[in-house]
């Protein structure tokens, strides 16, 4: 009986083995192709759904490794939730280094450290928390104004910021058009969701802290009014500082000296004048409550054992159409210098702001 092709195939020394390998390779290729297709489909679906489904998913997909299964690490939206620290956060990982993170946060000014003179002349605000400055390390960020206020927040929260970090397979931070498209898309979504209206979009838009009513007055005060001659003959201005900010308070500090080269500590003195009004008026009274409670007509007697003497004079007045509280002080190793010039410093300060209806509350040695 003639051999069939199957019999000849089976007796062939290497053809059956080669065929088995070919079939195995074909099956493996089909499985890999199916898995790659499934992975691509899952990855595409993921990008089309995270971040409220508003991402430029095709542009992002071109930058992420296609041979990795992308994993969602965060996808949360809290627009309108009471006092939410984040309006949106979404994150996708693609391998060890690649991925996308998008965050949107309300923009709130750092709180004041205090309203005392040393705060007005120094560091007025607390350091911003880490989450508030994270945008500085992102590939792209955008600040958007929301003049009517963000829902879920006090009305003074009138802006939000979106930042995105997109990293490729080599860990490179993308800062080109794709990152910009991403923050634009998320910002538009939040603007619609929050009901933001008006212009206010762009890098210069910013939220503000509590509205203390600082809409007028600071321009009416400056620090060019001090005349060293009020300390007596031979005194000159050595240094000058001012504290100006979008809050209803103002301060000026001056260092004066007798002659070009002071010969003794008594030849150097410091004069400081400060004003509070609007929403900070009550806070200043509270901060200086003990000092205000100690004022008298003449200030009493300075401490004879003190190395330096500071006399503060307090007054109320109407300045630039507002009720204002003022404190002027002079500090010197010579108590007589402080006593004879504090009134002059306060008077010159109030005159420079065209104040009227002045009421002297009293003096106190601090």
């Amino acid at each position: 009986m003639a051999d069939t092709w199957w019999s000849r195939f089976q007796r062939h020394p290497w053809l059956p083995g080669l065929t088995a390998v070919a079939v195995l390779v074909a099956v493996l290729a089909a499985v890999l192709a199916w898995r790659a297709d499934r992975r691509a489909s899952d990855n595409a679906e993921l990008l089309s759904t995270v971040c409220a489904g508003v991402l430029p998913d095709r542009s992002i997909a071109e930058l992420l490794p296609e041979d990795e299964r992308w994993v969602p690490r965060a996808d949360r939206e809290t627009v309108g939730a009471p006092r939410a620290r984040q309006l949106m956060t979404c994150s996708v990982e693609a391998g060890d280094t690649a991925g996308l993170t998008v965050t949107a946060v309300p923009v709130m000014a750092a709180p004041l450290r205090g309203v005392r003179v040393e705060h007005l002349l120094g560091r007025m605000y607390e350091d911003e928390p880490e989450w508030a400055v994270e945008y500085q390390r992102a590939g792209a960020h955008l600040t958007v104004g929301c003049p009517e206020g963000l829902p879920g927040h006090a009305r003074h929260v009138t802006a939000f910021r979106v930042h995105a970090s997109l990293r490729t397979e080599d860990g490179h931070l993308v800062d080109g058009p794709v990152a910009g498209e991403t923050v634009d898309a998320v910002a538009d979504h939040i603007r619609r969701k929050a009901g933001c209206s008006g212009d206010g979009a762009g890098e210069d838009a910013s939220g503000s802290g509590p509205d203390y009513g600082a809409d007028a007055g600071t321009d009416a005060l400056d620090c060019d009014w001090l005349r060293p001659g009020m300390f007596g003959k031979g005194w000159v201005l050595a240094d000058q500082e001012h504290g100006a900010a979008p809050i209803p308070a103002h301060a000026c500090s001056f260092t004066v000296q007798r002659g070009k080269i002071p010969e003794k500590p008594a030849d150097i003195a410091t004069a400081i004048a400060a004003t509070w009004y609007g929403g900070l008026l009550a806070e200043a009274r509270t901060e200086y409550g003990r000092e205000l409670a100690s004022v008298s007509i003449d200030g009493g007697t300075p401490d004879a054992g003190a190395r330096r003497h500071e006399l503060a004079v307090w007054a109320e007045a109407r300045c630039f159409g507002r009720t204002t509280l003022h404190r002027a002080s002079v500090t010197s190793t010579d108590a007589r210098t402080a006593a004879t010039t504090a009134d002059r410093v306060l008077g010159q300060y109030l005159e420079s702001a065209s104040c009227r209806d002045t009421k002297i509350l009293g003096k106190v040695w601090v």
Side-chain angles (χ1 to χ4, degrees), residues 10-176:
Q10 289 179 312
R11 292 195 304 269
H12 197 280
W14 50 265
L15 191 57
L18 181 61
T19 302
V21 171
V23 171
L24 182 60
V25 169
V27 171
L28 182 59
V31 171
L32 292 177
W34 176 83
R35 291 183 61 182
D37 185 66
R38 180 64 180 270
R39 181 174 61 244
S41 177
D42 290 346
N43 289 346
E45 182 179 358
L46 174 62
L47 281 185
S48 68
T49 56
V50 296
C51 296
V54 300
L55 297 178
D57 48 340
R58 292 186 178 180
S59 299
I60 294 173
E62 292 178 358
L63 298 175
L64 297 181
E66 60 181 12
D67 57 346
E68 296 282 356
R69 181 171 291 277
W70 306 337
V71 180
R73 292 303 182 194
D75 191 13
R76 183 171 65 255
E77 182 180 343
T78 58
V79 180
R83 298 178 297 278
R85 196 180 77 178
Q86 292 181 329
L87 304 176
M88 177 184 287
T89 178
C90 49
S91 178
V92 173
E93 289 185 2
D96 294 332
T97 57
L100 168 71
T101 300
V102 182
T103 305
V105 297
V107 177
M108 294 178 284
L112 288 172
R113 297 179 69 233
V115 298
R116 299 182 69 86
V117 169
E118 57 265 32
H119 297 135
L120 301 181
L121 291 171
R123 288 182 54 225
M124 296 186 62
Y125 298 98
E126 299 285 357
D127 293 335
E128 290 187 277
E130 185 67 20
W131 62 265
V133 296
E134 188 179 351
Y135 74 94
Q136 297 174 355
R137 297 182 293 273
H141 60 85
L142 178 68
T143 304
V144 180
C146 196
E148 299 301 320
L150 290 172
H153 296 268
R155 288 185 63 83
H156 63 264
V157 182
T158 56
F160 65 89
R161 180 177 290 120
V162 181
H163 57 90
S165 294
L166 175 60
R167 294 189 180 274
T168 57
E169 193 170 8
D170 59 1
H172 175 68
L173 181 64
V174 177
D175 57 2

Side-chain angles (χ1 to χ4, degrees), residues 1-354:
M1 177 181 293
D3 289 341
T4 64
W5 70 270
W6 177 247
S7 298
R8 292 194 302 271
F9 173 79
Q10 289 179 312
R11 292 195 304 269
H12 197 280
W14 50 265
L15 191 57
L18 181 61
T19 302
V21 171
V23 171
L24 182 60
V25 169
V27 171
L28 182 59
V31 171
L32 292 177
W34 176 83
R35 291 183 61 182
D37 185 66
R38 180 64 180 270
R39 181 174 61 244
S41 177
D42 290 346
N43 289 346
E45 182 179 358
L46 174 62
L47 281 185
S48 68
T49 56
V50 296
C51 296
V54 300
L55 297 178
D57 48 340
R58 292 186 178 180
S59 299
I60 294 173
E62 292 178 358
L63 298 175
L64 297 181
E66 60 181 12
D67 57 346
E68 296 282 356
R69 181 171 291 277
W70 306 337
V71 180
R73 292 303 182 194
D75 191 13
R76 183 171 65 255
E77 182 180 343
T78 58
V79 180
R83 298 178 297 278
R85 196 180 77 178
Q86 292 181 329
L87 304 176
M88 177 184 287
T89 178
C90 49
S91 178
V92 173
E93 289 185 2
D96 294 332
T97 57
L100 168 71
T101 300
V102 182
T103 305
V105 297
V107 177
M108 294 178 284
L112 288 172
R113 297 179 69 233
V115 298
R116 299 182 69 86
V117 169
E118 57 265 32
H119 297 135
L120 301 181
L121 291 171
R123 288 182 54 225
M124 296 186 62
Y125 298 98
E126 299 285 357
D127 293 335
E128 290 187 277
E130 185 67 20
W131 62 265
V133 296
E134 188 179 351
Y135 74 94
Q136 297 174 355
R137 297 182 293 273
H141 60 85
L142 178 68
T143 304
V144 180
C146 196
E148 299 301 320
L150 290 172
H153 296 268
R155 288 185 63 83
H156 63 264
V157 182
T158 56
F160 65 89
R161 180 177 290 120
V162 181
H163 57 90
S165 294
L166 175 60
R167 294 189 180 274
T168 57
E169 193 170 8
D170 59 1
H172 175 68
L173 181 64
V174 177
D175 57 2
V178 177
E181 291 174 23
T182 300
V183 296
D184 287 343
V186 173
D188 286 340
H189 169 75
I190 293 177
R191 186 190 290 112
R192 292 192 300 269
K193 190 77 175 286
C196 293
S197 59
D199 299 330
E203 286 305 317
D204 293 333
S206 62
S208 60
D211 182 8
Y212 295 114
D215 55 318
T218 52
D219 291 340
L221 294 166
D222 57 47
C223 294
D224 297 330
W225 48 267
L226 183 87
R227 302 293 178 264
M230 68 179 63
F231 284 79
K233 186 177 180 179
W235 289 84
V236 297
L237 182 64
D239 193 20
Q240 175 180 320
E241 294 181 71
H242 73 279
I247 63 169
H250 183 268
C252 300
S253 175
F254 310 90
T255 299
V256 295
Q257 63 187 39
R258 193 162 17 215
K260 293 184 178 180
I261 303 177
E263 297 181 357
K264 52 185 182 296
D267 291 338
I268 299 176
T270 301
I272 298 177
T275 294
W276 298 267
Y277 58 97
L280 289 186
L281 196 58
E283 191 167 342
R285 293 183 189 278
T286 300
E287 284 274 357
Y288 284 98
R290 182 175 298 181
E291 185 173 314
L292 283 167
S294 302
V295 299
S296 62
I297 295 177
D298 59 3
T301 304
D303 182 359
R307 298 182 61 182
R308 292 186 67 80
H309 303 277
E310 179 182 0
L311 181 65
V313 186
W314 285 89
E316 293 176 346
R318 290 286 294 178
C319 309
F320 37 86
R322 292 175 176 265
T323 299
T324 54
L325 178 67
H326 306 269
R327 180 186 188 270
S329 68
V330 175
T331 304
S332 173
T333 59
D334 179 15
R336 191 163 63 94
T337 297
T340 57
T341 53
D343 286 332
R344 298 172 192 167
V345 170
L346 176 64
Q348 189 65 42
Y349 183 51
L350 296 180
E351 183 180 341
S352 72
S354 301

